[in-house]
Amino acid sequence: MTKLLLSVHVLVAILAVGSITVAASMFPRQALRAIGGEEGPRVAALLHRVCRGYAVAGIAVPVFGIATGARLGVLGDAWLIASLALTALAAGLLALAVLPGQRRLLALAQGDAPAQGGAGAAPSGPRYGAGSGGEGPAKAAARLAMLTGVFNLLWAIVVVLMIVRPGSTTGA
């Protein structure tokens, strides 16, 4: 059972998180190309849908990771706790900064004014990423690219922790 849980955990991590990291990394440039009129917003819209869809599927990564950790008896190990904390931080960054920033740039690319107020409107302000504070599209895209880079770096650190497992007694 442990091998099955670990296999599903790794497969979902590769497919979901890997897809998000690639799509989110490509998004700022594609959104700028659409805003600049070099091409339509279809590619940027597709990349945003990939990020949103796989973010939902990515919830399975920590679920199967925790189940695997429980079976291995390592839930109290520092490397696993650190990995879970970094995973939560990455998820928060994705939900609160990257996806809203993508929505705002996509609205600009589609010729819509970014959502202001009302139900379902994305939060605004500097801590929520691209398009806030009256900044131009290039600056908003650069900020979004930086936030995406931080998201990707967090996942890279989690992968290293999962492989190296510092202090683990199960042998790495």
Side-chain angles (χ1 to χ4, degrees):
M1 180 57 110
T2 304
K3 290 180 182 180
L4 175 65
L5 291 171
L6 181 59
S7 296
V8 172
H9 170 67
V10 171
L11 283 171
V12 174
I14 291 169
L15 295 174
V17 178
S19 297
I20 295 167
T21 59
V22 171
S25 296
M26 294 172 62
F27 181 87
R29 188 174 98 178
Q30 292 301 322
L32 276 182
R33 290 180 72 182
I35 292 168
E38 294 177 40
E39 63 182 56
R42 287 192 336 250
V43 174
L46 173 65
L47 293 171
H48 178 62
R49 279 195 309 273
V50 166
C51 290
R52 272 192 349 242
Y54 282 104
V56 172
I59 294 169
V61 175
V63 169
F64 280 95
I66 290 169
T68 302
R71 295 279 300 182
L72 292 172
V74 295
L75 286 180
D77 287 7
W79 61 271
L80 186 61
I81 294 168
S83 295
L84 286 170
L86 291 171
T87 297
L89 186 60
L93 184 62
L94 180 66
L96 298 175
V98 174
L99 292 175
Q102 286 181 350
R103 273 195 304 272
R104 284 189 285 280
L105 274 177
L106 190 56
L108 289 173
Q110 293 171 334
D112 301 334
Q116 298 293 325
S124 61
R127 69 178 239 214
Y128 290 106
S132 58
E135 63 191 18
K139 188 173 179 182
R143 179 185 308 231
L144 181 59
M146 184 263 316
L147 291 169
T148 300
V150 172
F151 172 81
N152 293 345
L153 179 61
L154 289 170
W155 278 112
I157 294 168
V158 169
V159 168
V160 170
L161 285 171
M162 291 286 116
I163 293 169
V164 175
R165 300 181 298 174
S168 172
T169 58
T170 59

